[in-house]
Amino acid sequence: MSKVIKFNKESDLPPLVMSLGTTLVNKTGSWRYLRPVYQDKTAPCIEACPASEDIQQYMYLVAKGEFDKAWETLVAENPFPAVCGRVCYHPCELSCNRGEFDQPLAINAVERFIGDHGLERSLEPFKIAADRKEKVAIVGSGPAGLTCAYNLRRLGFKVVVLEKNEKPGGVLQFGIPEYRLPKDILAKEISRLEDFGIEIKTGVEIGKDVSWAALLKYDAVFLALGVHRSRAMDVPGEELDGVISGLEFLSQIARGEKVALGQNVAVIGGGNTAMDAVRTALRLGSKAKIYYRRTRAEMPAIRDEIEEAEREGIEMEFLVTPVRISGENGRVKEMTLQKMELGAPDESGRRRPVPVAGSEYTVTIDNVITAIGEMGDFNFIPEDMLEWGTVKTNHFGQTNIEHVFAGGDIIEQPHTVVHAIGSGKRTAMAIQAYLDHVDPETLVDKISVGFKGGFSFERFNDGQTGDPVDNHQVVHYEQINKNYFTEKPRNEADEQEISAGITTFREVKTTFDAQTVIGEALRCFNCGVCNMCDNCVIFCPDVAIKRREDDYRYEIDYDYCKGCGICVVECPRNALSLIPEGK
Amino acid sequence: MKKVLMGNHAVSYGARLARVEVIAAYPITPQTQIVEELSELCANGELDAKFIKVESEHSAMASCMGSSAAGARAFTATSSQGLALMHELLHFASGSRLPIVLANVNRAMGPGWNIWTEQTDSLAQRDTGWLQFYCENNQEVLDTVIQSFKIAEQLALPVMMVLDAFILSHTYEIVDVPERELIDKFLPPYMPEFKMDVDDPHAFGALVTPDNYYEIRYKMQKSMEKAPQIVTQTGVEYGEIVGRSYDVLETYFCDDAELVLVAAGTLVSNSRAVVQEYRSKGIKLGLLKIRMFRPFPTEQVRKILLHIPKIAVIDRNISFGASGIFFQELKAALYGRDGVSEARIFGFIIGLGGRDVRLQDIAEIVDYALEEEKPKEDIIWMGLKR
């Protein structure tokens, strides 16, 4: 071991400035007033994901070719990777730091690959807690209901899902068209959940087959009915034959029913239902056209859907609204539209369309499909539970009846699949907390991911890596050390040829192959999380950093770390922090 | 094999024959061709060395130091401002006892910005602990690069070998390039006694307190003092194997001289021609070539010059506020513990910033020194436009 060597005469000294023993005797760590620590932080994509998927972690695993583990990471937060990999509007990509560097990561396409990989390999989720005696009823088998059921099951609860329709899946089954979400993919993801021990009873309607009172006898109830009624346009002639609600149209097609459309089909609206309806009508052989009261920029539909519709030759007419539908023999024949212009912004921040006087014109039409918004059908839900057409809940989905929770499209939140999944997960955690007499608010600090409302089930469940994590620090672009990255174009999934007059319901986009998905995952900055790049080890001038004995992550020898901070600066991804010593 | 080489390429060929393992350099006129040629030799596989591109001369020397400390034979080349930028690390390299070889092409320091030859850049580094050799022609350039490695590695001290800008660097001469086998016989691979080795870890170049620093410096000086003998011996060995011998000094008609010219670099060649001419007229003129400037070969100089009545030192450099630098060194050497020279020593400064030094300029120096009984001033400015 090291000791101080005393040189008594010049010939004792080595011929050059060199230690004879080690310099371990000199504990340079005593000079330190700042301490570098490994501290995982939150990547902005994860914060942006309403389902709080640990995106950077599965990118890390995919980059190493560990697809099974990537799938496990994904389903730890979201039981529908193959579904979301197809239909999610992927706000993660908008937040991706790589977007400021060159192009955002193709997160959605990677998710799809992993989801499909899980289906191909028949991977199964694992339970994380022993069986519990409490039984929870879930009303509705859409993404919110099934996600809640899944997470409750993982926590050991008995779960029964009551579904009004003949098949489970809700909007996934009866709303989203086949060309975006093939039914066999959905069926596989749902049957995996059934295999996991979730009981789904279809054809069960509350208030008819099961009474509200009987429902309330469960230890907890989760209402996730979804919204299935298209909002009425309130224009004369809406009752005519040939005027169809968009949701009804889509569900008829999903059920394989024949829907007779004429040649000219007008679809009213600019949201996803409108896009789904117009593209479906196109595939049925009609000349379908969008009429929307604002401009393209204000359309609430997913951008990809709008672009694909345009490439399929769908015409869109903006700044118009129907004022009258007229018919012949009870059947629609013409539609009169009024031109609009954009006025002052409304409460949604979008500029409000206002009519232009004297601008009415009439088009000849065979069908009108209405898709200007959806409403819930709350016939069995007590009046005092409702507010502004939604079920009133606290932050955790709890209603005014303490063991009744609600989520998905019936509460006040954006109507997207991934928000539904997020609410199902959040509520599962809240239900356990309720049954354990724990105030869920006390969990918020531990389980929240960033500041956009997402909660991590892994953190709820303590399933952490064992490294200190600051889930409240989101890594932004400025905190990335760009010197370590080179520009690399984003990979795009192949598309089947999109053209006007398309008639196939085959999926538009393909799934990445393994090589492409790894290439794409390698583009990930892994913001805020150590990916074992060794930069800290290479740069530490005191050789005070080394890989841990289990070869996972690093340890700092604070006896010799001088606190220079070079490791922190040279970490490409801000996975280290410098904190004042003694605090 | 005889080749027609410019001085810069003579350096490159010498480094190649010495089988350098790491070259780290930053371009600067008039040095650039040295490392340009080496980079090509590395690129085309003729030289198995790592060529490290760096962003400054400071980093060039730092890279050489790292490589040398790890046991590699390291080489760099620079000039003028580039050498000045290395200054800090010149101390560090010698203090670390690393046998790096540096080729410096003598170029005047700016401003005024000037790329022509002058000795001030290298002489200003005289106290950095590096050995210094000044070369007279391209053959000597090539031979000195090779010998420099052997000398440096024996002493564990770095060597700077110097050649004049343009007069040598860009001028083509016939150069005998020795056969590789001969040089391999002369210069074995570098096997340092101590090097950075992960299997035998030590800390290098770390803090040394006043308790030991003094002794460290003493040991460095002791190694420097060994240099003249090692240089002489190496020059002899080189002669035995390659056929050309070298020493720390070279004399030309000094034994009976009444006046001896003292010069270094290409000034020596012109002086030699002038000595020949004067000797043919019966005038007892001699010439002392200073090949090794650091360590200064005091003993050898004294042996030659103690009995000479007049000495004329030709400096293409100036230490501002003092005089020509060779002139100072000469005077210091001749005032020694075993006696004081009674010679009249003239200090001439000539050819700064690359101004031509012609035969008649040297002849003027000789005439002045022969004519005057003693110098009228400390600095005799030759060719100054007054």
Side-chain angles (χ1 to χ4, degrees):
Chain A
M1 199 42 213
S2 62
K3 60 182 192 305
V4 177
I5 301 171
K6 181 81 187 151
F7 299 112
N8 292 316
K9 50 185 194 295
E10 60 93 6
S11 56
D12 292 347
L13 281 153
L16 61 159
V17 180
M18 182 184 100
S19 67
L20 291 184
T22 75
T23 51
L24 292 176
V25 67
N26 185 7
K27 298 208 168 173
T28 49
S30 64
W31 309 359
R32 187 180 61 243
Y33 63 93
L34 290 171
R35 170 182 288 247
V37 290
Y38 288 94
Q39 186 181 52
D40 285 357
K41 301 177 188 71
T42 296
C45 51
I46 305 177
E47 184 191 39
C49 176
S52 309
E53 287 181 4
D54 195 347
I55 295 165
Q56 89 68 32
Q57 177 66 12
Y58 67 71
M59 289 299 166
Y60 169 65
L61 293 166
V62 169
K64 294 203 294 177
E66 295 186 20
F67 301 147
D68 288 7
K69 280 191 187 163
W71 184 85
E72 282 165 17
T73 303
L74 234 173
V75 298
E77 302 294 343
N78 179 351
F80 288 111
V83 168
C84 277
R86 289 172 165 79
V87 305
C88 187
Y89 78 111
H90 46 78
C92 50
E93 295 185 16
L94 274 179
S95 301
C96 176
N97 279 333
R98 184 111 204 174
E100 279 190 62
F101 186 71
D102 46 14
Q103 291 165 289
L105 216 67
I107 298 169
N108 197 226
V110 175
E111 181 186 31
R112 170 167 166 170
F113 173 92
I114 304 167
D116 285 4
H117 174 82
L119 294 179
E120 272 161 33
R121 303 249 296 128
S122 302
L123 297 177
E124 285 167 22
F126 41 91
K127 245 177 92 194
I128 49 191
D131 277 332
R132 295 182 57 144
K133 61 181 195 310
E134 296 99 328
K135 194 163 181 182
V136 182
I138 290 170
V139 183
S141 66
L146 289 183
T147 301
C148 185
Y150 163 75
N151 284 315
L152 287 170
R153 189 72 205 116
R154 294 177 79 199
L155 293 170
F157 294 98
K158 293 183 192 67
V159 186
V160 60
V161 179
L162 307 172
E163 169 57 53
K164 183 171 83 172
N165 287 307
E166 72 280 13
K167 275 185 182 174
V171 70
L172 306 175
Q173 187 71 257
F174 297 108
I176 298 173
E178 178 88 22
Y179 64 85
R180 280 178 63 201
L181 176 58
K183 298 288 181 249
D184 63 317
I185 298 283
L186 176 64
K188 282 186 210 163
E189 295 235 300
I190 292 177
S191 76
R192 183 177 64 222
L193 296 178
E194 289 178 298
D195 295 345
F196 190 51
I198 296 166
E199 190 186 354
I200 305 176
K201 290 184 177 170
T202 53
V204 177
E205 207 175 331
I206 309 300
K208 201 165 114 194
D209 306 307
V210 174
S211 71
W212 175 247
L215 187 66
L216 294 182
K217 291 208 173 97
Y218 282 92
D219 295 299
V221 175
F222 181 51
L223 304 173
L225 327 175
V227 291
H228 304 290
R229 280 198 300 149
S230 285
R231 205 174 285 278
M233 296 196 295
D234 287 331
V235 297
E238 200 169 350
E239 73 293 343
L240 289 166
D241 268 359
V243 180
I244 323 169
S245 113
L247 287 175
E248 201 178 306
F249 169 63
L250 291 172
S251 80
Q252 283 173 323
I253 299 297
R255 287 187 165 90
E257 293 171 18
K258 272 260 182 280
V259 181
L261 289 181
Q263 179 60 27
N264 292 311
V265 175
V267 176
I268 316 298
N272 287 321
T273 304
M275 289 303 125
D276 289 345
V278 77
R279 297 177 71 191
T280 298
L282 174 79
R283 284 165 169 75
L284 295 175
S286 299
K287 186 171 170 1
K289 185 171 173 179
I290 287 282
Y291 294 88
Y292 178 52
R293 61 188 185 137
R294 305 188 209 228
T295 71
R296 190 182 186 277
E298 287 86 20
M299 285 174 97
I302 303 173
R303 290 291 110 179
D304 293 357
E305 301 298 316
I306 299 170
E307 284 162 19
E308 283 174 20
E310 285 170 339
R311 273 182 283 154
E312 287 170 3
I314 303 283
E315 283 183 49
M316 302 190 188
E317 195 151 336
F318 299 110
L319 291 168
V320 289
T321 196
V323 289
R324 184 163 61 249
I325 301 169
S326 49
E328 212 173 67
N329 304 326
R331 201 183 153 79
V332 63
K333 191 175 175 226
E334 285 177 340
M335 175 169 70
T336 301
L337 298 132
Q338 179 165 43
K339 292 198 177 158
M340 312 292 278
E341 58 186 12
L342 292 181
D346 64 10
E347 67 281 355
S348 75
R350 297 177 302 172
R351 293 173 68 191
R352 186 192 299 275
V354 291
V356 179
S359 64
E360 288 184 13
Y361 67 103
T362 300
V363 293
T364 307
I365 220 79
D366 298 309
N367 290 94
V368 177
I369 300 179
T370 62
I372 61 165
E374 292 91 37
M375 296 164 23
D377 209 346
F378 302 129
N379 49 18
F380 66 85
I381 296 179
E383 200 59 40
D384 64 355
M385 204 180 263
L386 304 175
E387 188 179 66
W388 301 112
T390 61
V391 175
K392 194 169 57 177
T393 67
N394 69 10
H395 187 58
F396 285 93
Q398 196 170 27
T399 69
N400 60 357
I401 303 174
E402 64 170 9
H403 75 300
V404 177
F405 296 77
D409 290 353
I410 62 168
I411 64 168
E412 196 189 342
Q413 67 170 19
H415 290 190
T416 75
V417 171
V418 69
H419 280 94
I421 289 168
S423 92
K425 181 169 75 174
R426 185 169 62 226
T427 309
M429 297 188 252
I431 288 173
Q432 164 157 303
Y434 160 74
L435 292 172
D436 288 344
H437 310 291
V438 172
D439 177 0
E441 288 297 339
T442 61
L443 301 174
V444 170
D445 188 55
K446 177 178 158 193
I447 65 177
S448 62
V449 180
F451 300 94
K452 294 184 178 170
F455 288 137
S456 161
F457 194 83
E458 276 292 279
R459 288 193 190 139
F460 174 75
N461 190 47
D462 276 328
Q464 288 184 12
T465 56
D467 296 294
V469 179
D470 189 338
N471 41 327
H472 301 302
Q473 260 198 73
V474 179
V475 176
H476 297 293
Y477 186 61
E478 313 77 65
Q479 290 154 305
I480 298 292
N481 189 336
K482 270 78 74 177
N483 293 326
Y484 292 104
F485 302 101
T486 49
E487 287 186 17
K488 224 188 261 175
R490 166 187 165 107
N491 291 289
E492 298 289 354
D494 292 335
E495 286 185 350
Q496 64 155 304
E497 204 176 317
I498 297 184
S499 57
I502 191 169
T503 55
T504 175
F505 278 82
R506 198 150 52 93
E507 251 189 302
V508 171
K509 283 209 170 93
T510 59
T511 305
F512 277 160
D513 60 27
Q515 201 187 335
T516 311
V517 84
I518 290 173
E520 189 59 20
L522 282 169
R523 292 181 69 234
C524 182
F525 285 167
N526 299 105
C527 303
V529 182
C530 174
N531 72 351
M532 307 283 296
C533 75
D534 276 354
N535 245 21
C536 47
V537 175
I538 292 164
F539 276 95
C540 177
D542 290 304
V543 204
I545 300 179
K546 62 176 186 204
R547 282 194 174 224
R548 282 193 339 214
E549 262 177 30
D550 56 7
D551 213 29
Y552 176 78
R553 302 281 174 106
Y554 305 97
E555 60 193 359
I556 298 174
D557 187 341
Y558 291 108
D559 276 350
Y560 300 100
C561 165
K562 292 204 286 271
C564 68
I566 291 177
C567 53
V568 177
V569 173
E570 298 303 335
C571 176
R573 54 205 96 254
N574 195 19
L576 279 141
S577 299
L578 205 54
I579 57 172
E581 198 56 61
K583 281 191 182 160
Chain B
M1 193 188 11
K2 286 208 162 73
K3 279 179 172 283
V4 179
L5 291 179
M6 66 163 80
N8 278 343
H9 287 173
V11 176
S12 319
Y13 276 68
R16 176 198 181 185
L17 282 169
R19 295 187 187 274
V20 293
E21 292 162 300
V22 174
I23 302 144
Y26 189 80
I28 184 169
T29 301
Q31 167 281 125
T32 307
Q33 291 154 326
I34 297 174
V35 290
E36 190 177 58
E37 180 70 13
L38 284 169
S39 73
E40 278 174 27
L41 293 171
C42 288
N44 68 20
E46 285 182 55
L47 176 58
D48 183 18
K50 175 104 181 146
F51 192 99
I52 305 174
K53 289 176 284 182
V54 288
E55 76 289 346
S56 73
E57 285 83 357
H58 192 274
S59 299
M61 184 47 62
S63 304
C64 284
M65 284 168 51
S67 318
S68 183
R73 185 170 280 164
F75 173 81
T76 187
T78 188
S79 192
S80 183
Q81 320 290 132
L83 184 67
L85 184 58
M86 280 182 186
H87 177 77
E88 181 217 354
L89 292 181
L90 295 179
H91 282 286
F92 215 103
S94 60
S96 305
R97 308 300 303 269
L98 298 171
I100 298 161
V101 173
L102 180 157
N104 183 66
V105 181
N106 263 158
R107 163 184 156 180
M109 299 292 297
W113 206 239
N114 180 300
I115 57 170
W116 294 271
T117 198
E118 197 191 296
Q119 299 162 328
T120 311
D121 62 346
S122 53
L123 291 173
Q125 306 297 345
R126 65 185 176 181
D127 300 334
T128 54
W130 284 58
L131 279 76
Q132 283 196 8
F133 296 105
Y134 288 76
C135 299
E136 186 188 340
N137 55 48
N138 290 353
Q139 183 66 62
E140 186 177 350
V141 164
L142 182 140
D143 293 337
T144 300
V145 173
I146 296 166
Q147 292 170 65
S148 292
F149 282 105
K150 186 150 183 171
I151 294 161
E153 289 164 14
Q154 288 177 82
L155 293 168
L157 282 171
V159 172
M160 183 185 303
M161 55 81 55
V162 182
L163 58 152
D164 288 15
F166 300 105
I167 299 169
L168 291 185
S169 72
H170 287 60
T171 304
Y172 284 81
E173 292 184 335
I174 295 171
V175 175
D176 173 51
V177 180
E179 294 303 319
R180 162 148 286 180
E181 300 74 57
L182 293 182
I183 300 305
D184 286 348
K185 200 173 145 202
F186 169 75
L187 181 63
Y190 175 40
M191 302 291 275
E193 189 184 352
F194 300 98
K195 64 172 182 177
M196 287 200 182
D197 181 354
V198 289
D199 296 323
D200 179 22
H202 296 275
F204 292 85
L207 182 81
V208 178
T209 57
D211 192 29
N212 292 316
Y213 184 88
Y214 188 93
E215 281 69 26
I216 293 275
R217 299 324 253 183
Y218 169 81
K219 290 168 87 83
M220 200 159 134
Q221 171 62 15
K222 284 291 141 190
S223 292
M224 266 291 182
E225 287 170 11
K226 270 191 232 154
Q229 184 230 324
I230 296 281
V231 172
T232 302
Q233 181 194 317
T234 304
V236 169
E237 276 173 40
Y238 192 78
E240 283 165 359
I241 294 173
V242 181
R244 288 181 295 276
S245 303
Y246 293 88
D247 205 342
V248 297
L249 301 170
E250 199 181 313
T251 55
Y252 191 60
F253 291 103
C254 284
D255 292 347
D256 63 341
E258 284 164 12
L259 170 66
V260 168
L261 299 175
V262 178
T266 55
L267 292 171
V268 173
S269 302
N270 278 9
S271 301
R272 203 190 304 271
V274 171
V275 170
Q276 270 173 15
E277 199 190 315
Y278 278 72
R279 280 279 169 181
S280 71
K281 289 190 242 168
I283 297 164
K284 290 183 174 172
L285 183 61
L287 168 66
L288 176 63
K289 164 180 167 178
I290 308 280
R291 178 170 177 253
M292 181 173 80
F293 173 74
R294 271 290 176 275
F296 197 78
T298 304
E299 295 305 317
Q300 291 80 348
V301 165
R302 287 174 66 80
K303 221 176 271 171
I304 296 157
L305 293 184
L306 265 185
H307 67 282
I308 304 289
K310 273 183 177 177
I311 297 164
V313 185
I314 311 175
D315 273 298
R316 192 174 217 152
N317 62 77
I318 181 162
S319 170
F320 293 107
S323 59
I325 294 169
F326 282 97
F327 178 60
Q328 293 173 33
E329 298 279 337
L330 243 293
K331 286 199 292 184
L334 294 178
Y335 188 93
R337 63 182 188 279
D338 58 349
V340 178
S341 159
E342 291 183 1
R344 296 293 184 189
I345 308 177
F346 297 76
F348 295 91
I349 288 184
I350 193 167
L352 298 183
R355 184 174 294 179
D356 251 358
V357 177
R358 301 161 302 173
L359 295 180
Q360 59 261 45
D361 298 322
I362 306 280
E364 232 177 277
I365 287 173
V366 173
D367 294 346
Y368 182 102
L370 288 173
E371 211 166 290
E372 301 288 337
E373 193 207 334
K374 56 181 183 179
K376 286 190 204 134
E377 49 194 342
D378 269 355
I379 298 175
I380 305 162
W381 299 86
M382 292 305 296
L384 181 72
K385 289 184 270 189
R386 292 188 199 249

